[in-house]
Amino acid sequence: MEYDDIVQQVIEFLGTFAFAISGIRHAAAKHFDWFGGYVCGIAVAIGGGTIRDVMLGTTPFWMTDPIYMVCTALALLFVIVFAKHIEGLRNTWFVFDTLGLALFTIAGIQKSLDFGQPYWVAIIMGCITGSAGGVIRDVLLNNEPVIFQREIYAMASVIGGVTYWLLGYFGAPIEVMVISTFLLICLIRFLAVRYHLALPKLNNE
């Protein structure tokens, strides 16, 4: 297995775990049972990547390796075992959701480039990979999708994608591209929530 493939799998695994925890925590807030929590976890963990892979014309990533299903089960077990500790951590779900967004954005960009797509397509695919799962989760939970709320979410993914492209354009090593993009997306999300930063609202008048 090539080095880039290993990096891709590690990122997808970590992103799956982070997003699954986010989905399961949202389901717990709605008092779903364990199976309902698993469904919400798997929906947010594989939803964006599935849409990406279908658009790229390839078999969805989770259908080629059961590790992603197992990863979601581990996330469910993690939430069950450490439920009391997680409840004591304010906005824990937000942290995991942000980590998942950053990791899956990178995974979506890298996979799109591997399939020969231009960078502008890869940036869009990264955004879809990072944010579409959250939309599916929110629809299942009957919540307003986070990308339609005022807080900066999908735009953080887009900015991270542009940064990834710029670093690659100037010949940065893959490690620098991945780490820098990951940190930037997380930083944008944390700062946006901390200081209530948002894009301007549409005015219907």
Side-chain angles (χ1 to χ4, degrees):
M1 183 179 293
E2 295 183 358
Y3 178 74
D4 287 351
D5 293 333
I6 295 176
V7 172
Q8 177 79 18
Q9 286 196 350
V10 170
I11 291 173
E12 287 190 341
F13 182 85
L14 294 176
T16 299
F17 188 76
F19 257 162
I21 289 178
S22 169
I24 294 166
R25 287 293 302 122
H26 277 277
K30 293 278 188 175
H31 305 291
F32 283 22
D33 61 17
W34 288 7
F35 180 74
Y38 183 85
V39 170
C40 286
I42 200 67
V44 68
I46 71 172
T50 299
I51 295 173
R52 172 204 65 206
D53 288 347
V54 169
M55 295 178 70
L56 291 175
T58 187
T59 303
F61 68 104
W62 58 270
M63 296 177 66
T64 61
D65 193 338
I67 188 62
Y68 301 102
M69 297 299 178
V70 175
C71 181
T72 303
L74 292 175
L76 176 63
L77 181 62
F78 177 85
V79 173
I80 293 171
V81 173
F82 298 103
K84 293 182 179 179
H85 301 285
I86 293 176
E87 285 295 337
L89 298 176
R90 186 179 180 182
N91 293 330
T92 300
W93 68 266
F94 163 74
V95 174
F96 282 111
D97 193 54
T98 298
L99 296 178
L101 174 67
L103 291 166
F104 268 17
T105 295
I106 297 169
I109 293 172
Q110 289 183 331
K111 190 163 189 177
S112 299
L113 293 175
D114 289 342
F115 274 76
Q117 298 296 330
Y119 258 107
W120 67 271
V121 173
I123 292 171
I124 295 174
M125 288 296 185
C127 184
I128 290 173
T129 308
S131 60
V135 174
I136 297 172
R137 173 201 65 204
D138 291 336
V139 170
L140 289 175
L141 294 172
N142 198 29
N143 293 331
E144 180 184 12
V146 67
I147 66 169
F148 299 142
Q149 298 175 20
R150 292 197 68 224
E151 65 178 82
I152 296 175
Y153 189 79
M155 278 304 301
S157 176
V158 173
I159 294 172
V162 172
T163 300
Y164 189 98
W165 166 67
L166 287 173
L167 290 172
Y169 180 80
F170 288 106
I174 183 66
E175 296 87 351
V176 174
M177 296 167 64
V178 169
I179 294 174
S180 299
T181 302
F182 173 81
L183 292 177
L184 179 62
I185 293 175
C186 291
L187 180 63
I188 292 173
R189 285 283 290 143
F190 292 149
L191 291 178
V193 172
R194 173 65 178 83
Y195 295 103
H196 307 288
L197 304 176
L199 297 175
K201 286 185 176 181
L202 287 173
N203 193 330
N204 64 353
E205 296 181 359

